[in-house]
DNA sequence: GTGGTCTAGACCACT
DNA sequence: GTGGTCTAGACCACG
């Protein structure tokens, strides 16, 4: 589980951790049921405050991506709740708008998305 | 030019304004060369400070989406500079990861993207 | 006398006009004693207000680059007054600092300056 | 870190701060990795608003001269992105034109530039 | 009348 | 305690 944190990024560190774990689950590096590192272990690895990792885990738990077992730490959930929100739709629409204004055609964009999808599937066990 | 601002959102207002304008250009509500509202007018419309709109315009200008003609306000630029950054790729990868974990298949996702693309093209003159 | 104005630039138009004329004198396109276009002619050519050109001419006159003859319009002066000011030194120091931080060596920079000098001399009659 | 601000200058204060910091990095007063003063501290030192310093820092960050580590203020970056732009070339050409019209020869100018370069190198550790 | 700049406060998210 | 954001005014250069 290799995670990269960019301290100079505008994205809050806890968000970056959350994002990396979500992508890790999606591409199969993290399997459903698999145990996540303890908060302290992750905090030490990144050199950040435990509060920061704690926040990331709380967010993931709230979104249904992970399950927090008081005794055995956190583990990857099977399927998150949630579903496509209007907020998600807005984000996607924005990304597509930006792509189009950069001169990217629909075909190119869809092909690029498909490539990313393949990458996620490819590493699936 | 119908723009909706969500004051309770965690996204900064100036970012929201920037996003709305970018999407407005992409879907044809704002045509290249068209004059944008003045900073003051937009600030009044939203009920925000001129500085906030100012920041949004400065951002759009820096990104190449609009140009500020010294004589008469700001107007929509033809084509922005920039290009697809690694940051953009990361955002898209995250969105696709989230979609996949929600149980959305590649086919469904691509179809959804295509729909959004059609909406943008459809309103083009 | 080909002058290009960039209306979307941050530099005020009157400054751009002033700069172009200064560079025009330096590279020999404008000869000492040569008559400059009338304010109105230049204003029409650029599609700007006469006040703007007026301001540029006033600035050039104050700096000693041109001489304004009430009857025969403005003409290029022989030698300007002025001399190297601390302000000029500051500007040059800033440019050199920026170049250095971009990784440009002293040799490269001096060579580049020499090239520009040659270009100016080359068009001299 | 001695910075002088000229409140009567036509150059915006935030630009002056930006310029001084760039020159400070170039001449070695500010070392890569070194922490910059906090926005508030600098604002107090100059007697200006925090927003003004904020803008200077945002500009420096955007240009790649400094990085804002989320945990502890801003610090000097190793190497900025960017590179020599046509805008930069124009500025240099203008300065050289002005020098030439003041009667400065190519030799004198290059020598003067070399002197400035030496000053920058000389204070390097 | 336009955008650009600045002030003197303030609140918030992040760490 | 840090930077980021925002407000409600204000003045100025520019055209």
């Amino acid at each position: 589980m290799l995670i990269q944190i960019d301290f100079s990024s505008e994205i809050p560190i806890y968000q970056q951790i959350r994002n990396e774990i979500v992508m890790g689950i999606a591409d199969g590096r993290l399997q459903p049921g698999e145990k996540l590192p303890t908060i302290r272990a992750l905090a030490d690895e990144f050199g950040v405050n435990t509060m920061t990792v704690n926040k990331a885990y709380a967010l993931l738990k709230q979104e249904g991506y992970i399950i927090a077992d008081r005794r055995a730490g956190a583990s990857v959930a099977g399927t998150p709740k949630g579903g496509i929100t209007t907020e998600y739709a807005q984000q996607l629409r924005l990304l597509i708008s930006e792509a189009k204004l950069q001169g990217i055609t629909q075909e190119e964009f869809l092909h690029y998305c498909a490539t990313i999808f393949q990458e996620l599937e490819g590493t699936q066990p």
Side-chain angles (χ1 to χ4, degrees), chain A:
Chain A
M1 193 33 200
L2 211 53
I3 289 188
Q4 293 254 348
I5 300 294
D6 177 8
F7 289 106
S8 66
S9 166
E10 300 176 331
I11 303 171
I13 295 175
Y14 81 93
Q15 267 283 4
Q16 290 186 49
I17 296 175
R18 178 264 180 197
N19 290 347
E20 292 287 341
I21 289 178
V22 168
M23 289 191 285
I25 299 174
D27 68 16
R29 277 175 301 165
L30 289 168
Q31 294 295 321
E34 185 176 341
K35 259 197 71 184
L36 289 167
T38 65
I39 290 180
R40 176 157 305 184
L42 222 50
D44 283 353
E45 189 182 330
F46 298 148
V48 298
N49 200 303
T50 55
M51 289 292 293
T52 307
V53 182
N54 191 18
K55 204 164 180 176
Y57 273 33
L59 188 56
L60 286 162
K61 184 179 147 197
Q62 181 217 318
E63 294 177 316
Y65 287 114
I66 69 175
I67 299 168
D69 185 321
R70 194 164 301 252
R71 295 162 307 173
S75 56
V76 178
T79 331
K81 54 185 176 183
I84 297 299
T85 61
T86 57
E87 192 191 348
Y88 182 91
Q90 272 295 91
Q91 281 180 43
L92 187 55
R93 188 186 185 86
L94 179 59
L95 278 190
I96 291 176
S97 293
E98 287 175 337
K100 188 193 163 193
L101 291 180
Q102 300 289 347
I104 297 171
T105 66
Q106 177 178 337
E107 248 180 279
E108 288 167 347
F109 185 82
L110 294 184
H111 188 266
Y112 185 47
C113 287
T115 306
I116 296 176
F117 249 105
Q118 300 304 330
E119 285 175 22
L120 299 185
E121 301 293 344
T123 50
Q124 221 64 296

